[in-house]
């Protein structure tokens, strides 16, 4: 391969992931790109991420198509070094310009200047833990140009004549004289809000799409799209299932998050000798305490899950065996790995499947801080933007399946953790209080645990601790 060609291989996206599905290319062959410019969107078993380029130059080849699964370390994109091919000289006169088929465009100059102004506000995302250091100032400088040029269409139409390459503004091609030039910031804003740039008429010079144009498109209501989900493969006519004799209606590939969940759950069931304990809990006092706090601070009151999370972290400090990992070493020996801290995972249902983001160092956070972090992680997880670290670093999982309207569940432990606490819905039930029958707000707590790391006494002690804290939240919080 020519020394002027740089091959960028799919990088290690973190957490031991070995493959990723190519969702979408953000560049095309012939594009001029710069260092740290996002070149592709890929979906791993953990999240959707943008992959930035470590090289600047001209895109020579894209190694893969949308929907294809690529292995880490395999070629992703080939980039010709900037300046590898001799660039046509800038015409010194109008006559020279006509002879070469290139004309200067003051409108595109204006577009470039507007682009520079627009980009001062920021740039696109860079893959977490990857890319060049130093931020914008460190490796995103743009070569200064006194003018830009576009290909004369008459010259382009000549079959035998060589076609002059199109110039670029910060890696965004200009396919014609008056095409939109879009900054990474504007492109990111459009992607985040599901706005198609092809449908926007730019208000800037030369049709440049500005931030205000995207904001206007965001504020304009559109027909709701169907939620993202597994895409079924077309089924051939006459496809019959050999076991049932029924016609096959759909075949859905198992990949991405669903593939990871399936593998993780199967491994959990295969390797972990799981046991389960449960208890009904009177949550009336907790609900009353939260209602009282909400009266005082309507917009700054933690949710119920945040309070329960606070009780869980306190319980894990008392029963640390449930905040461990059971490991089998290469030599066959076994050990239980304990942690100096708690990363509290919580199950979040998304359009892409069930994921478990984790609140790092949750034991150091108050209920209010836990609430803020749970909300933030839920949001990024549902947008598919949670990082591999956020999705793969938990030490214990809290699962609020009550939001689905169920009371209990025989939960599967989130491998390689050793325990999971499930919380059912809170409903009115008859309950004996001080010898009198009353209607109380009751929920069911279910703890699934790895019997290799502890016995039932430890599991029951932890579960009872959390239950007592829910029934007497004021006293529990005072002691934490």
């Amino acid at each position: 391969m020519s020394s002027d060609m740089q091959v960028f291989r799919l990088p290690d996206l973190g957490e031991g992931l070995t493959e990723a599905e190519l969702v979408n290319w953000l560049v095309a062959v012939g594009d001029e790109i710069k260092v740290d410019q996002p070149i592709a969107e890929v979906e791993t078993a953990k999240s959707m991420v943008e992959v930035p380029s470590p090289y600047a130059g001209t895109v020579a080849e894209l190694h893969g198509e949308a929907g294809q699964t690529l292995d880490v370390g395999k070629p992703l994109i080939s980039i010709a070094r900037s300046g590898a091919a001799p660039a046509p000289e800038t015409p010194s006169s109008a006559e020279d310009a006509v002879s070469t088929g290139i004309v200067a465009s003051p409108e595109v100059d204006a577009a470039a200047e507007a682009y520079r102004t627009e980009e001062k506000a920021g740039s696109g995302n860079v893959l977490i833990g990857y890319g060049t250091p130093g931020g914008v100032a460190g490796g995103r400088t743009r070569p200064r140009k006194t003018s830009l040029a576009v290909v004369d269409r008459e010259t382009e139409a000549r079959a035998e004549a060589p076609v002059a390459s199109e110039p670029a503004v910060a890696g965004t091609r200009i396919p014609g004289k008056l095409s939109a030039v879009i900054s990474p910031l504007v492109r990111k804003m459009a992607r985040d809000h599901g706005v198609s740039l092809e449908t926007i008429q730019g208000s800037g010079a030369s049709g440049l799409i500005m931030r205000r144009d995207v904001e206007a498109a965001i504020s304009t209501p559109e027909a709701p799209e169907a939620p993202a989900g597994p895409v079924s493969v077309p089924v051939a006519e006459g496809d019959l299932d050999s076991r049932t004799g029924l016609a096959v209606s759909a075949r859905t590939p198992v990949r991405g998050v669903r593939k990871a969940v399936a593998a993780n759950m199967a491994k959990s069931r295969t390797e972990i000798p799981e046991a389960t304990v449960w208890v009904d809990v009177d949550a009336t006092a907790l609900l009353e305490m939260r209602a009282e706090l909400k009266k005082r601070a309507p917009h700054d009151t933690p949710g119920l899950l945040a309070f329960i999370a606070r009780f869980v972290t306190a319980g894990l400090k008392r029963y640390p065996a449930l905040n461990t990992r059971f490991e089998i070493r290469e030599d066959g020996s076994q050990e239980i790995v304990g942690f100096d801290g708690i990363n509290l995972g919580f199950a979040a249902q998304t359009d892409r499947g069930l994921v478990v983001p984790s609140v790092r160092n949750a034991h150091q956070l108050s209920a209010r801080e836990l609430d803020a972090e749970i909300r933030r992680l839920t949001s990024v997880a549902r947008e598919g933007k949670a990082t591999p670290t956020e999705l793969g670093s938990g030490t214990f999982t809290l699962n609020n399946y009550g939001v689905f309207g169920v009371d209990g569940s025989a939960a599967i432990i989130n491998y390689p953790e050793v325990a999971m606490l499930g919380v059912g819905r809170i409903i009115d039930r008859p309950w004996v209080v001080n010898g009198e029958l009353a209607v109380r707000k009751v929920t069911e707590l279910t703890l699934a645990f790895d019997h290799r790391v502890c016995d039932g006494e430890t599991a029951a002690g932890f579960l009872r601790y959390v239950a007592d804290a829910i029934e007497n939240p004021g006293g529990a919080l005072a002691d934490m």
Side-chain angles (χ1 to χ4, degrees), residues 234-303:
V235 178
E237 186 176 352
D239 187 359
L240 296 178
D241 179 58
S242 59
R243 190 181 75 84
T244 64
L246 297 175
V248 176
S249 61
R251 294 185 181 275
T252 304
V254 179
R255 59 191 182 191
V257 171
R258 176 54 53 194
K259 181 179 180 181
V261 169
N264 201 50
M265 296 299 99
K267 195 167 187 178
S268 178
R269 277 292 194 226
T270 302
E271 295 189 12
I272 298 178
E274 188 178 282
T276 305
V277 291
W278 61 89
V279 64
D280 289 337
V281 181
D282 181 1
T284 306
L286 178 60
L287 289 171
E288 290 175 346
M289 183 191 76
R290 184 176 182 275
E292 185 63 29
L293 291 173
K294 198 168 182 63
K295 290 180 183 178
R296 302 175 187 176
H299 306 295
D300 195 28
T301 302

Side-chain angles (χ1 to χ4, degrees), residues 21 129 198 377 441:
E21 180 183 343
E198 296 178 358
L377 288 169
K441 301 292 186 182

Side-chain angles (χ1 to χ4, degrees), residues 35 96-97 100 142 164 185 195-196 243 286 325 330 349 372 477:
V35 172
D96 291 337
T100 58
R142 186 180 303 105
L185 175 68
V195 175
S196 173
R243 190 181 75 84
L286 178 60
R325 184 171 63 238
E330 293 183 357
Q349 190 66 44
L477 291 172

Side-chain angles (χ1 to χ4, degrees), residues 36-395:
D36 276 355
Q37 178 177 335
I39 56 174
E41 290 180 322
V42 300
E43 180 180 16
T44 70
K46 300 290 186 181
S47 61
M48 184 94 72
V49 296
E50 287 184 346
V51 179
S53 172
Y55 306 126
T58 304
V59 177
E61 185 177 357
L62 305 178
H63 301 283
E65 300 178 355
Q68 183 177 348
T69 298
L70 305 176
D71 293 331
V72 170
K74 295 294 184 181
L76 180 64
I77 189 173
S78 294
I79 302 170
R81 297 179 189 274
S82 298
E89 295 181 0
T90 303
S92 57
S93 66
E95 183 178 354
D96 291 337
V98 172
S99 66
T100 58
I102 300 177
V103 294
S105 172
E107 292 177 324
V108 177
D109 272 335
E113 183 59 35
Y115 171 88
R116 295 186 185 97
T117 302
E118 189 77 9
E119 197 185 33
K120 286 178 182 178
S123 62
N125 278 347
V126 176
L127 181 63
I128 300 298
Y130 178 78
T132 59
V136 174
R140 298 179 183 234
T141 55
R142 186 180 303 105
R144 295 183 179 179
K145 297 183 178 181
T146 57
S147 65
L148 294 172
V150 294
V151 179
D152 185 286
R153 292 305 175 189
E154 293 181 359
T155 303
E156 195 174 64
R158 298 172 188 169
E160 300 297 328
V163 180
S165 61
E166 295 173 339
V169 176
T172 302
R173 299 182 69 194
I174 309 176
K177 191 180 296 184
L178 298 177
S179 179
V181 182
I182 306 156
S183 79
L185 175 68
V186 174
R187 295 179 66 175
K188 178 181 183 299
M189 181 185 297
R191 282 197 303 272
D192 289 348
H193 292 84
V195 175
S196 173
L197 292 170
E198 296 178 358
T199 64
I200 298 178
Q201 180 63 42
S203 62
S206 299
L208 177 70
I209 296 178
M210 309 292 286
R211 187 188 298 111
R212 60 176 176 267
D213 301 321
V214 177
E215 290 172 344
I218 293 171
S219 63
T220 303
E222 297 181 356
E225 298 181 358
V231 178
S232 298
V233 176
V235 178
E237 186 176 352
D239 187 359
L240 296 178
D241 179 58
S242 59
R243 190 181 75 84
T244 64
L246 297 175
V248 176
S249 61
R251 294 185 181 275
T252 304
V254 179
R255 59 191 182 191
V257 171
R258 176 54 53 194
K259 181 179 180 181
V261 169
N264 201 50
M265 296 299 99
K267 195 167 187 178
S268 178
R269 277 292 194 226
T270 302
E271 295 189 12
I272 298 178
E274 188 178 282
T276 305
V277 291
W278 61 89
V279 64
D280 289 337
V281 181
D282 181 1
T284 306
L286 178 60
L287 289 171
E288 290 175 346
M289 183 191 76
R290 184 176 182 275
E292 185 63 29
L293 291 173
K294 198 168 182 63
K295 290 180 183 178
R296 302 175 187 176
H299 306 295
D300 195 28
T301 302
L304 290 174
L305 188 63
F307 284 113
I308 296 175
R310 188 70 187 90
F311 302 149
V312 166
T313 57
L316 290 174
K317 290 180 181 179
R318 292 200 176 195
Y319 299 91
L322 296 171
N323 188 55
T324 60
R325 184 171 63 238
F326 190 93
E327 288 189 354
I328 302 176
R329 303 176 66 87
E330 293 183 357
D331 60 4
S333 62
Q334 301 175 348
E335 64 181 14
I336 297 174
V337 180
F339 304 108
D340 183 17
I342 301 167
N343 289 349
L344 184 64
F346 60 95
Q349 190 66 44
T350 73
D351 292 337
R352 299 168 58 247
L354 183 70
V355 296
V356 186
S358 60
V359 179
R360 297 175 65 82
N361 295 310
H363 58 290
Q364 298 176 350
L365 304 181
S366 66
R368 186 170 284 109
E369 292 169 332
L370 284 167
D371 183 73
E373 187 64 0
I374 288 172
R375 292 178 187 276
R376 183 191 72 80
L377 288 169
T378 299
S379 177
V380 297
R382 287 177 176 166
E383 292 173 0
K385 297 179 180 179
T387 66
T389 298
E390 289 171 333
L391 292 174
S393 59
T395 60

